[in-house]
DNA sequence: TTGAAAGCGCTAACAC
DNA sequence: GTGTTAGCGCTTTCAA
């Protein structure tokens, strides 16, 4: 790989001139500009960003750290952040922690070492995780960090979060209004903040309506397909079967549909269903599920914007936390109970 | 952010000693080692990989360039490559081109500038794209590149590909054996190599059986949900409706299911279905689709291994191209025609 | 075992 | 408009 010195030599100019042509940092005569361009082409020269970054002490790389790339919610987040980054001349790279805290640690350390401009973090850290010291250290060391979807416990940062509790509450309230009274929930993993908040919404909605929470109607899943399937099989085999189920994420809801199918029941005739996330239009075909839709693309894009603002010093002072509201989309899976067979 | 000089000063040793402690490049007395460790901790020091990379002229970063992160096939590819990378002390980052050639160009140029160790490329470049000069230049410049899933036209590289033609051929042959004779196809975008190859498999299977290919039964989609939906609606409104449809990817197959549902038909009673990709167990619930399953995790992992071998010089000489075979999984959506109503 | 110092490729301050 | 050069933070050779 050729260097700026070789380009300068070939073009018969100084390295400063080559640099100035590349970065347009000061005016260079058109004759020289042309000679430099030609030399660059001839040598197939690519400026060494490593050297440049070392000199200017910053990179225009944004790093996104994600827990589970196979959950369709996250790719949309990537697309949002990516478009925002590109629009402002940044470059987004992504790494996947596979929900493992150790791996997250290692990835963050690597990004820190490479001195990325900032980090978008959807942490694998649980909501009571005691292990967040490295993240505090990171931030105190001056690295701009924006938390996405999930915050890190006991760490103050900018964040873009969803109003999980509000969304779940509205959704369950809707089920109640439709005439359902025995409403089960398939919740997410205990250690995840988002799962906890969604459960809170469920609890509050029941409380609002004066309906007691029944432990037997709450089954914990892990946000994956199989656990949604198993949970609903279990619920539907109860002597006192629920008449509606609220599912804490979209992937588990697909498992729920499969379970209903396996037991040869029908939705909504035998059981109403409502869920977080809207995979339906993209990956599934029937029935149309009532769902709490997260504006994931938008969340990614806003978090990206926030991070770049912070990097560029446009965002001074205290941390800002944005709570984005989800949208409840009512579909056939939760039609009013009295109409089910009408 | 503190530097190695500050650490050295605080520990009362030379920078060489600090470096040797960090990299274990030579033996350092335990007294000094301890002092260095303490200083690192006290200063919250993180070695500057940028400076290191500049000096040693290489990085242990693997870059993966993907066309569509929202297609569930690709995240699995990432996981495979990532696990392979981590196991050998590399670090994988991903960027998404959104199927735009211009964006791909820009991303590759950035990765080149940052002197990543190598690139895993699932190109957005069409199979007849004339625009691959930058990729040839990249490779000639010494950058290790492994093509994944798709090759770049007229460019010689290592590659891990799927036997698309073989997979499609076997699948359609299966449909024929099950007694279907009017078999339609929802194909992928014309410019994509994979789509072309799958169509070839379809064509060959019909040819094998002496069934003429009918243009009216071939509808081109774009690998997305909506196009699968529209294509199947169109096919099912034909006067001479096909009795089976072969769909070129999993996302479109979901659209196909929705179309069948919309027209109040049933699969396989009214129409058999078989498809590339297996989204079924993860995102969908019914009916179980006969599918050509790609070993995507494995493809990612093998491509990653190949790239690291190439980087480390274990893979000398000519380029190697691996063609991975998919697996046909037969499910209820294509039961033998005579049994459909029996 | 340890330290001094050159140099990786670039930018930008300074001089002309 | 243009060139010279110090120095970004690290590794590694050479010398002790």
């Amino acid at each position: 790989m050729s260097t700026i010195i070789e380009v300068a030599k070939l073009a018969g100019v100084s390295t400063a001139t080559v640099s100035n042509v590349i970065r347009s940092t000061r005016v260079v005569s058109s004759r020289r500009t042309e000679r430099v361009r030609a030399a660059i082409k001839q040598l197939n020269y690519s400026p060494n960003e490593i050297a440049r970054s070392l000199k200017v002490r910053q990179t225009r790389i944004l790093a996104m750290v994600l827990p589970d790339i196979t959950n369709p919610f996250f790719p949309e987040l990537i697309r949002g952040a990516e478009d925002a980054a590109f629009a402002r001349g940044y470059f987004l790279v992504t790494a996947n922690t596979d929900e493992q805290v150790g791996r997250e640690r290692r990835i963050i350390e690597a990004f820190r070492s490479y001195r990325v401009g900032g980090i978008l973090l959807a942490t694998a850290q649980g909501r009571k995780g005691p292990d967040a010291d490295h993240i505090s250290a990171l931030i105190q060391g001056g690295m701009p960090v924006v938390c996405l979807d999930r915050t890190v416990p006991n760490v103050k940062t900018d964040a873009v979060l969803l109003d999980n509790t509000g969304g779940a509450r509205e959704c369950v309230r809707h089920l109640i209004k439709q005439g359902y009274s025995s409403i089960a929930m398939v919740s997410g993993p205990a250690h995840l903040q988002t799962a906890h908040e969604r459960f809170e919404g469920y609890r509050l909605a029941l409380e609002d309506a004066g309906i007691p929470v029944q432990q037997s109607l709450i089954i914990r899943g892990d946000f994956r397909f199989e656990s949604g399937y198993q949970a609903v099989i279990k619920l539907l085999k109860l002597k006192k079967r629920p008449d509606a189920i609220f599912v804490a994420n979209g992937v588990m809801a697909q498992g729920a549909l499969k379970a209903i199918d396996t037991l040869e029941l029908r939705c909504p005739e035998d059981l109403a269903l409502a869920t977080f996330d809207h995979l339906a239009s993209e990956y599934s075909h029937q029935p149309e599920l009532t769902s709490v839709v997260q504006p994931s693309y938008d969340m990614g894009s806003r978090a990206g914007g926030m991070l770049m603002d912070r990097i560029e010093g446009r965002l001074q002072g205290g941390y800002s936390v944005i709570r984005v509201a989800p949208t409840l989309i009512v579909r056939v899976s939760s039609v009013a109970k009295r109409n089910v067979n009408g």
Side-chain angles (χ1 to χ4, degrees), chain A residues 260-290:
Chain A
I260 292 171
D261 200 56
T262 300
L263 298 181
E264 301 194 332
L265 296 173
R266 301 204 302 164
C267 170
E269 290 82 348
D270 301 306
L271 179 81
L273 215 56
T275 177
F276 241 78
D277 298 330
H278 175 46
L279 273 47
S281 81
E282 286 188 34
Y283 299 115
S284 181
H285 58 290
Q286 66 160 11
E288 298 282 347
L289 289 181
T290 289

PDB file of all heavy atoms in Angstrom, chain A residues 260-290:
ATOM      1  N   ILE A 260     -51.308 -22.234  19.728  1.00  0.00           N
ATOM      2  CA  ILE A 260     -52.759 -22.225  19.547  1.00  0.00           C
ATOM      3  C   ILE A 260     -53.143 -23.183  18.428  1.00  0.00           C
ATOM      4  O   ILE A 260     -54.098 -23.954  18.525  1.00  0.00           O
ATOM      5  CB  ILE A 260     -53.236 -20.787  19.219  1.00  0.00           C
ATOM      6  CG1 ILE A 260     -53.034 -19.892  20.448  1.00  0.00           C
ATOM      7  CG2 ILE A 260     -54.696 -20.779  18.788  1.00  0.00           C
ATOM      8  CD1 ILE A 260     -53.264 -18.422  20.173  1.00  0.00           C
ATOM      9  N   ASP A 261     -52.340 -23.158  17.396  1.00  0.00           N
ATOM     10  CA  ASP A 261     -52.569 -24.018  16.253  1.00  0.00           C
ATOM     11  C   ASP A 261     -52.397 -25.483  16.634  1.00  0.00           C
ATOM     12  O   ASP A 261     -53.198 -26.343  16.257  1.00  0.00           O
ATOM     13  CB  ASP A 261     -51.559 -23.632  15.173  1.00  0.00           C
ATOM     14  CG  ASP A 261     -52.007 -24.098  13.819  1.00  0.00           C
ATOM     15  OD1 ASP A 261     -53.136 -23.715  13.428  1.00  0.00           O
ATOM     16  OD2 ASP A 261     -51.257 -24.835  13.174  1.00  0.00           O
ATOM     17  N   THR A 262     -51.347 -25.761  17.383  1.00  0.00           N
ATOM     18  CA  THR A 262     -51.061 -27.135  17.795  1.00  0.00           C
ATOM     19  C   THR A 262     -52.222 -27.740  18.576  1.00  0.00           C
ATOM     20  O   THR A 262     -52.570 -28.902  18.409  1.00  0.00           O
ATOM     21  CB  THR A 262     -49.808 -27.152  18.701  1.00  0.00           C
ATOM     22  OG1 THR A 262     -48.716 -26.631  17.956  1.00  0.00           O
ATOM     23  CG2 THR A 262     -49.483 -28.570  19.150  1.00  0.00           C
ATOM     24  N   LEU A 263     -52.813 -26.915  19.432  1.00  0.00           N
ATOM     25  CA  LEU A 263     -53.920 -27.411  20.252  1.00  0.00           C
ATOM     26  C   LEU A 263     -55.252 -27.324  19.512  1.00  0.00           C
ATOM     27  O   LEU A 263     -56.317 -27.501  20.100  1.00  0.00           O
ATOM     28  CB  LEU A 263     -53.986 -26.622  21.566  1.00  0.00           C
ATOM     29  CG  LEU A 263     -52.735 -26.746  22.448  1.00  0.00           C
ATOM     30  CD1 LEU A 263     -52.910 -25.956  23.730  1.00  0.00           C
ATOM     31  CD2 LEU A 263     -52.464 -28.217  22.759  1.00  0.00           C
ATOM     32  N   GLU A 264     -55.164 -26.985  18.243  1.00  0.00           N
ATOM     33  CA  GLU A 264     -56.351 -26.884  17.396  1.00  0.00           C
ATOM     34  C   GLU A 264     -57.388 -25.914  17.934  1.00  0.00           C
ATOM     35  O   GLU A 264     -58.589 -26.160  17.879  1.00  0.00           O
ATOM     36  CB  GLU A 264     -56.949 -28.268  17.162  1.00  0.00           C
ATOM     37  CG  GLU A 264     -55.918 -29.181  16.503  1.00  0.00           C
ATOM     38  CD  GLU A 264     -56.510 -30.453  15.936  1.00  0.00           C
ATOM     39  OE1 GLU A 264     -57.538 -30.895  16.477  1.00  0.00           O
ATOM     40  OE2 GLU A 264     -55.939 -30.984  14.962  1.00  0.00           O
ATOM     41  N   LEU A 265     -56.881 -24.829  18.456  1.00  0.00           N
ATOM     42  CA  LEU A 265     -57.779 -23.759  18.874  1.00  0.00           C
ATOM     43  C   LEU A 265     -57.676 -22.650  17.844  1.00  0.00           C
ATOM     44  O   LEU A 265     -56.849 -22.709  16.936  1.00  0.00           O
ATOM     45  CB  LEU A 265     -57.365 -23.243  20.257  1.00  0.00           C
ATOM     46  CG  LEU A 265     -57.489 -24.273  21.379  1.00  0.00           C
ATOM     47  CD1 LEU A 265     -56.909 -23.733  22.668  1.00  0.00           C
ATOM     48  CD2 LEU A 265     -58.962 -24.659  21.560  1.00  0.00           C
ATOM     49  N   ARG A 266     -58.511 -21.626  18.002  1.00  0.00           N
ATOM     50  CA  ARG A 266     -58.448 -20.535  17.049  1.00  0.00           C
ATOM     51  C   ARG A 266     -58.413 -19.181  17.745  1.00  0.00           C
ATOM     52  O   ARG A 266     -58.949 -19.011  18.834  1.00  0.00           O
ATOM     53  CB  ARG A 266     -59.635 -20.612  16.088  1.00  0.00           C
ATOM     54  CG  ARG A 266     -59.618 -21.971  15.343  1.00  0.00           C
ATOM     55  CD  ARG A 266     -60.346 -21.907  14.036  1.00  0.00           C
ATOM     56  NE  ARG A 266     -61.722 -21.487  14.209  1.00  0.00           N
ATOM     57  CZ  ARG A 266     -62.484 -21.063  13.190  1.00  0.00           C
ATOM     58  NH1 ARG A 266     -61.983 -20.997  11.960  1.00  0.00           N
ATOM     59  NH2 ARG A 266     -63.724 -20.704  13.413  1.00  0.00           N
ATOM     60  N   CYS A 267     -57.734 -18.273  17.079  1.00  0.00           N
ATOM     61  CA  CYS A 267     -57.618 -16.918  17.593  1.00  0.00           C
ATOM     62  C   CYS A 267     -58.346 -16.009  16.635  1.00  0.00           C
ATOM     63  O   CYS A 267     -58.079 -16.059  15.432  1.00  0.00           O
ATOM     64  CB  CYS A 267     -56.140 -16.536  17.691  1.00  0.00           C
ATOM     65  SG  CYS A 267     -55.851 -14.799  18.050  1.00  0.00           S
ATOM     66  N   PRO A 268     -59.257 -15.157  17.049  1.00  0.00           N
ATOM     67  CA  PRO A 268     -59.616 -14.847  18.431  1.00  0.00           C
ATOM     68  C   PRO A 268     -60.800 -15.660  18.975  1.00  0.00           C
ATOM     69  O   PRO A 268     -61.208 -15.422  20.102  1.00  0.00           O
ATOM     70  CB  PRO A 268     -60.010 -13.385  18.327  1.00  0.00           C
ATOM     71  CG  PRO A 268     -60.636 -13.278  16.981  1.00  0.00           C
ATOM     72  CD  PRO A 268     -59.901 -14.242  16.101  1.00  0.00           C
ATOM     73  N   GLU A 269     -61.320 -16.604  18.181  1.00  0.00           N
ATOM     74  CA  GLU A 269     -62.531 -17.303  18.617  1.00  0.00           C
ATOM     75  C   GLU A 269     -62.366 -17.954  19.990  1.00  0.00           C
ATOM     76  O   GLU A 269     -63.239 -17.831  20.856  1.00  0.00           O
ATOM     77  CB  GLU A 269     -62.933 -18.366  17.595  1.00  0.00           C
ATOM     78  CG  GLU A 269     -63.467 -17.799  16.283  1.00  0.00           C
ATOM     79  CD  GLU A 269     -62.371 -17.390  15.328  1.00  0.00           C
ATOM     80  OE1 GLU A 269     -61.190 -17.324  15.744  1.00  0.00           O
ATOM     81  OE2 GLU A 269     -62.675 -17.142  14.148  1.00  0.00           O
ATOM     82  N   ASP A 270     -61.247 -18.636  20.180  1.00  0.00           N
ATOM     83  CA  ASP A 270     -61.060 -19.327  21.453  1.00  0.00           C
ATOM     84  C   ASP A 270     -60.221 -18.535  22.440  1.00  0.00           C
ATOM     85  O   ASP A 270     -60.240 -18.791  23.638  1.00  0.00           O
ATOM     86  CB  ASP A 270     -60.377 -20.676  21.206  1.00  0.00           C
ATOM     87  CG  ASP A 270     -61.198 -21.549  20.275  1.00  0.00           C
ATOM     88  OD1 ASP A 270     -62.389 -21.757  20.581  1.00  0.00           O
ATOM     89  OD2 ASP A 270     -60.671 -21.974  19.233  1.00  0.00           O
ATOM     90  N   LEU A 271     -59.473 -17.627  21.906  1.00  0.00           N
ATOM     91  CA  LEU A 271     -58.500 -16.931  22.734  1.00  0.00           C
ATOM     92  C   LEU A 271     -58.061 -15.653  22.030  1.00  0.00           C
ATOM     93  O   LEU A 271     -57.687 -15.695  20.861  1.00  0.00           O
ATOM     94  CB  LEU A 271     -57.276 -17.846  22.896  1.00  0.00           C
ATOM     95  CG  LEU A 271     -56.117 -17.302  23.706  1.00  0.00           C
ATOM     96  CD1 LEU A 271     -56.415 -17.469  25.181  1.00  0.00           C
ATOM     97  CD2 LEU A 271     -54.841 -18.030  23.335  1.00  0.00           C
ATOM     98  N   ALA A 272     -58.105 -14.537  22.754  1.00  0.00           N
ATOM     99  CA  ALA A 272     -57.614 -13.293  22.159  1.00  0.00           C
ATOM    100  C   ALA A 272     -56.108 -13.191  22.399  1.00  0.00           C
ATOM    101  O   ALA A 272     -55.580 -13.778  23.350  1.00  0.00           O
ATOM    102  CB  ALA A 272     -58.317 -12.102  22.775  1.00  0.00           C
ATOM    103  N   LEU A 273     -55.440 -12.448  21.528  1.00  0.00           N
ATOM    104  CA  LEU A 273     -53.994 -12.316  21.652  1.00  0.00           C
ATOM    105  C   LEU A 273     -53.618 -10.867  21.368  1.00  0.00           C
ATOM    106  O   LEU A 273     -54.190 -10.224  20.488  1.00  0.00           O
ATOM    107  CB  LEU A 273     -53.327 -13.230  20.629  1.00  0.00           C
ATOM    108  CG  LEU A 273     -52.009 -13.913  20.988  1.00  0.00           C
ATOM    109  CD1 LEU A 273     -52.153 -14.719  22.262  1.00  0.00           C
ATOM    110  CD2 LEU A 273     -51.577 -14.813  19.846  1.00  0.00           C
ATOM    111  N   ALA A 274     -52.659 -10.353  22.151  1.00  0.00           N
ATOM    112  CA  ALA A 274     -52.112  -9.039  21.842  1.00  0.00           C
ATOM    113  C   ALA A 274     -50.643  -9.113  22.226  1.00  0.00           C
ATOM    114  O   ALA A 274     -50.263  -9.874  23.115  1.00  0.00           O
ATOM    115  CB  ALA A 274     -52.823  -7.956  22.632  1.00  0.00           C
ATOM    116  N   THR A 275     -49.817  -8.342  21.566  1.00  0.00           N
ATOM    117  CA  THR A 275     -48.381  -8.528  21.752  1.00  0.00           C
ATOM    118  C   THR A 275     -47.579  -7.246  21.579  1.00  0.00           C
ATOM    119  O   THR A 275     -48.045  -6.300  20.950  1.00  0.00           O
ATOM    120  CB  THR A 275     -47.847  -9.580  20.751  1.00  0.00           C
ATOM    121  OG1 THR A 275     -46.442  -9.706  20.893  1.00  0.00           O
ATOM    122  CG2 THR A 275     -48.139  -9.149  19.315  1.00  0.00           C
ATOM    123  N   PHE A 276     -46.426  -7.244  22.139  1.00  0.00           N
ATOM    124  CA  PHE A 276     -45.449  -6.218  21.818  1.00  0.00           C
ATOM    125  C   PHE A 276     -44.837  -6.575  20.473  1.00  0.00           C
ATOM    126  O   PHE A 276     -44.720  -7.752  20.141  1.00  0.00           O
ATOM    127  CB  PHE A 276     -44.339  -6.181  22.876  1.00  0.00           C
ATOM    128  CG  PHE A 276     -44.253  -4.860  23.574  1.00  0.00           C
ATOM    129  CD1 PHE A 276     -45.154  -4.542  24.572  1.00  0.00           C
ATOM    130  CD2 PHE A 276     -43.301  -3.906  23.229  1.00  0.00           C
ATOM    131  CE1 PHE A 276     -45.118  -3.307  25.219  1.00  0.00           C
ATOM    132  CE2 PHE A 276     -43.247  -2.679  23.862  1.00  0.00           C
ATOM    133  CZ  PHE A 276     -44.156  -2.382  24.863  1.00  0.00           C
ATOM    134  N   ASP A 277     -44.466  -5.564  19.717  1.00  0.00           N
ATOM    135  CA  ASP A 277     -43.791  -5.723  18.414  1.00  0.00           C
ATOM    136  C   ASP A 277     -44.746  -6.115  17.303  1.00  0.00           C
ATOM    137  O   ASP A 277     -45.712  -6.827  17.519  1.00  0.00           O
ATOM    138  CB  ASP A 277     -42.669  -6.775  18.430  1.00  0.00           C
ATOM    139  CG  ASP A 277     -41.551  -6.404  19.383  1.00  0.00           C
ATOM    140  OD1 ASP A 277     -41.341  -5.197  19.577  1.00  0.00           O
ATOM    141  OD2 ASP A 277     -40.907  -7.313  19.925  1.00  0.00           O
ATOM    142  N   HIS A 278     -44.362  -5.682  16.138  1.00  0.00           N
ATOM    143  CA  HIS A 278     -45.182  -5.959  14.976  1.00  0.00           C
ATOM    144  C   HIS A 278     -44.338  -6.664  13.916  1.00  0.00           C
ATOM    145  O   HIS A 278     -43.722  -6.047  13.068  1.00  0.00           O
ATOM    146  CB  HIS A 278     -45.735  -4.652  14.414  1.00  0.00           C
ATOM    147  CG  HIS A 278     -46.490  -4.848  13.157  1.00  0.00           C
ATOM    148  ND1 HIS A 278     -47.418  -5.850  12.998  1.00  0.00           N
ATOM    149  CD2 HIS A 278     -46.461  -4.183  11.986  1.00  0.00           C
ATOM    150  CE1 HIS A 278     -47.921  -5.778  11.783  1.00  0.00           C
ATOM    151  NE2 HIS A 278     -47.353  -4.789  11.148  1.00  0.00           N
ATOM    152  N   LEU A 279     -44.287  -7.983  14.015  1.00  0.00           N
ATOM    153  CA  LEU A 279     -43.586  -8.751  12.990  1.00  0.00           C
ATOM    154  C   LEU A 279     -44.550  -9.132  11.883  1.00  0.00           C
ATOM    155  O   LEU A 279     -44.145  -9.497  10.795  1.00  0.00           O
ATOM    156  CB  LEU A 279     -43.051 -10.064  13.582  1.00  0.00           C
ATOM    157  CG  LEU A 279     -41.693 -10.028  14.240  1.00  0.00           C
ATOM    158  CD1 LEU A 279     -41.541  -8.865  15.180  1.00  0.00           C
ATOM    159  CD2 LEU A 279     -41.447 -11.324  14.975  1.00  0.00           C
ATOM    160  N   ALA A 280     -45.823  -9.011  12.208  1.00  0.00           N
ATOM    161  CA  ALA A 280     -46.862  -9.581  11.369  1.00  0.00           C
ATOM    162  C   ALA A 280     -46.711  -9.256   9.890  1.00  0.00           C
ATOM    163  O   ALA A 280     -46.615 -10.152   9.069  1.00  0.00           O
ATOM    164  CB  ALA A 280     -48.210  -9.120  11.869  1.00  0.00           C
ATOM    165  N   SER A 281     -46.668  -7.996   9.550  1.00  0.00           N
ATOM    166  CA  SER A 281     -46.726  -7.672   8.129  1.00  0.00           C
ATOM    167  C   SER A 281     -45.480  -8.154   7.414  1.00  0.00           C
ATOM    168  O   SER A 281     -45.478  -8.360   6.225  1.00  0.00           O
ATOM    169  CB  SER A 281     -46.890  -6.181   7.924  1.00  0.00           C
ATOM    170  OG  SER A 281     -45.645  -5.555   8.037  1.00  0.00           O
ATOM    171  N   GLU A 282     -44.428  -8.360   8.161  1.00  0.00           N
ATOM    172  CA  GLU A 282     -43.218  -8.751   7.479  1.00  0.00           C
ATOM    173  C   GLU A 282     -42.971 -10.238   7.438  1.00  0.00           C
ATOM    174  O   GLU A 282     -42.522 -10.769   6.448  1.00  0.00           O
ATOM    175  CB  GLU A 282     -42.015  -8.057   8.110  1.00  0.00           C
ATOM    176  CG  GLU A 282     -41.984  -6.618   7.718  1.00  0.00           C
ATOM    177  CD  GLU A 282     -40.719  -5.973   8.174  1.00  0.00           C
ATOM    178  OE1 GLU A 282     -39.674  -6.633   8.190  1.00  0.00           O
ATOM    179  OE2 GLU A 282     -40.780  -4.806   8.521  1.00  0.00           O
ATOM    180  N   TYR A 283     -43.223 -10.896   8.530  1.00  0.00           N
ATOM    181  CA  TYR A 283     -42.815 -12.281   8.579  1.00  0.00           C
ATOM    182  C   TYR A 283     -43.957 -13.274   8.716  1.00  0.00           C
ATOM    183  O   TYR A 283     -43.761 -14.456   8.609  1.00  0.00           O
ATOM    184  CB  TYR A 283     -41.833 -12.496   9.728  1.00  0.00           C
ATOM    185  CG  TYR A 283     -40.604 -11.672   9.570  1.00  0.00           C
ATOM    186  CD1 TYR A 283     -40.288 -10.675  10.461  1.00  0.00           C
ATOM    187  CD2 TYR A 283     -39.771 -11.887   8.485  1.00  0.00           C
ATOM    188  CE1 TYR A 283     -39.149  -9.909  10.297  1.00  0.00           C
ATOM    189  CE2 TYR A 283     -38.638 -11.126   8.308  1.00  0.00           C
ATOM    190  CZ  TYR A 283     -38.334 -10.144   9.219  1.00  0.00           C
ATOM    191  OH  TYR A 283     -37.214  -9.397   9.055  1.00  0.00           O
ATOM    192  N   SER A 284     -45.102 -12.786   9.063  1.00  0.00           N
ATOM    193  CA  SER A 284     -46.167 -13.722   9.322  1.00  0.00           C
ATOM    194  C   SER A 284     -47.366 -13.364   8.474  1.00  0.00           C
ATOM    195  O   SER A 284     -47.404 -12.355   7.806  1.00  0.00           O
ATOM    196  CB  SER A 284     -46.530 -13.679  10.792  1.00  0.00           C
ATOM    197  OG  SER A 284     -47.539 -14.597  11.050  1.00  0.00           O
ATOM    198  N   HIS A 285     -48.373 -14.211   8.507  1.00  0.00           N
ATOM    199  CA  HIS A 285     -49.477 -13.946   7.600  1.00  0.00           C
ATOM    200  C   HIS A 285     -50.838 -13.951   8.253  1.00  0.00           C
ATOM    201  O   HIS A 285     -51.759 -13.354   7.751  1.00  0.00           O
ATOM    202  CB  HIS A 285     -49.445 -14.953   6.466  1.00  0.00           C
ATOM    203  CG  HIS A 285     -49.524 -16.353   6.944  1.00  0.00           C
ATOM    204  ND1 HIS A 285     -48.492 -16.947   7.621  1.00  0.00           N
ATOM    205  CD2 HIS A 285     -50.513 -17.258   6.878  1.00  0.00           C
ATOM    206  CE1 HIS A 285     -48.848 -18.183   7.940  1.00  0.00           C
ATOM    207  NE2 HIS A 285     -50.054 -18.394   7.510  1.00  0.00           N
ATOM    208  N   GLN A 286     -50.988 -14.646   9.378  1.00  0.00           N
ATOM    209  CA  GLN A 286     -52.313 -14.686   9.968  1.00  0.00           C
ATOM    210  C   GLN A 286     -52.287 -15.244  11.379  1.00  0.00           C
ATOM    211  O   GLN A 286     -51.389 -16.007  11.697  1.00  0.00           O
ATOM    212  CB  GLN A 286     -53.218 -15.546   9.117  1.00  0.00           C
ATOM    213  CG  GLN A 286     -52.750 -16.978   9.148  1.00  0.00           C
ATOM    214  CD  GLN A 286     -53.838 -17.951   8.745  1.00  0.00           C
ATOM    215  OE1 GLN A 286     -54.870 -17.574   8.259  1.00  0.00           O
ATOM    216  NE2 GLN A 286     -53.593 -19.204   8.982  1.00  0.00           N
ATOM    217  N   PRO A 287     -53.217 -14.924  12.238  1.00  0.00           N
ATOM    218  CA  PRO A 287     -54.141 -13.811  12.025  1.00  0.00           C
ATOM    219  C   PRO A 287     -53.407 -12.497  12.289  1.00  0.00           C
ATOM    220  O   PRO A 287     -52.314 -12.500  12.832  1.00  0.00           O
ATOM    221  CB  PRO A 287     -55.192 -14.052  13.103  1.00  0.00           C
ATOM    222  CG  PRO A 287     -54.419 -14.686  14.216  1.00  0.00           C
ATOM    223  CD  PRO A 287     -53.356 -15.515  13.568  1.00  0.00           C
ATOM    224  N   GLU A 288     -54.022 -11.431  11.920  1.00  0.00           N
ATOM    225  CA  GLU A 288     -53.422 -10.133  12.155  1.00  0.00           C
ATOM    226  C   GLU A 288     -53.435  -9.858  13.662  1.00  0.00           C
ATOM    227  O   GLU A 288     -54.485  -9.833  14.286  1.00  0.00           O
ATOM    228  CB  GLU A 288     -54.225  -9.061  11.431  1.00  0.00           C
ATOM    229  CG  GLU A 288     -54.251  -9.233   9.919  1.00  0.00           C
ATOM    230  CD  GLU A 288     -52.964  -8.765   9.271  1.00  0.00           C
ATOM    231  OE1 GLU A 288     -52.161  -8.094   9.958  1.00  0.00           O
ATOM    232  OE2 GLU A 288     -52.756  -9.071   8.080  1.00  0.00           O
ATOM    233  N   LEU A 289     -52.278  -9.654  14.212  1.00  0.00           N
ATOM    234  CA  LEU A 289     -52.164  -9.494  15.660  1.00  0.00           C
ATOM    235  C   LEU A 289     -52.260  -8.054  16.135  1.00  0.00           C
ATOM    236  O   LEU A 289     -51.589  -7.170  15.599  1.00  0.00           O
ATOM    237  CB  LEU A 289     -50.821 -10.032  16.141  1.00  0.00           C
ATOM    238  CG  LEU A 289     -50.602 -11.531  16.123  1.00  0.00           C
ATOM    239  CD1 LEU A 289     -49.218 -11.852  16.656  1.00  0.00           C
ATOM    240  CD2 LEU A 289     -51.667 -12.211  16.958  1.00  0.00           C
ATOM    241  N   THR A 290     -53.056  -7.848  17.160  1.00  0.00           N
ATOM    242  CA  THR A 290     -53.072  -6.561  17.834  1.00  0.00           C
ATOM    243  C   THR A 290     -51.704  -6.365  18.473  1.00  0.00           C
ATOM    244  O   THR A 290     -51.218  -7.244  19.181  1.00  0.00           O
ATOM    245  CB  THR A 290     -54.165  -6.559  18.919  1.00  0.00           C
ATOM    246  OG1 THR A 290     -55.436  -6.545  18.264  1.00  0.00           O
ATOM    247  CG2 THR A 290     -54.032  -5.330  19.822  1.00  0.00           C
TER     248      THR A 290
END
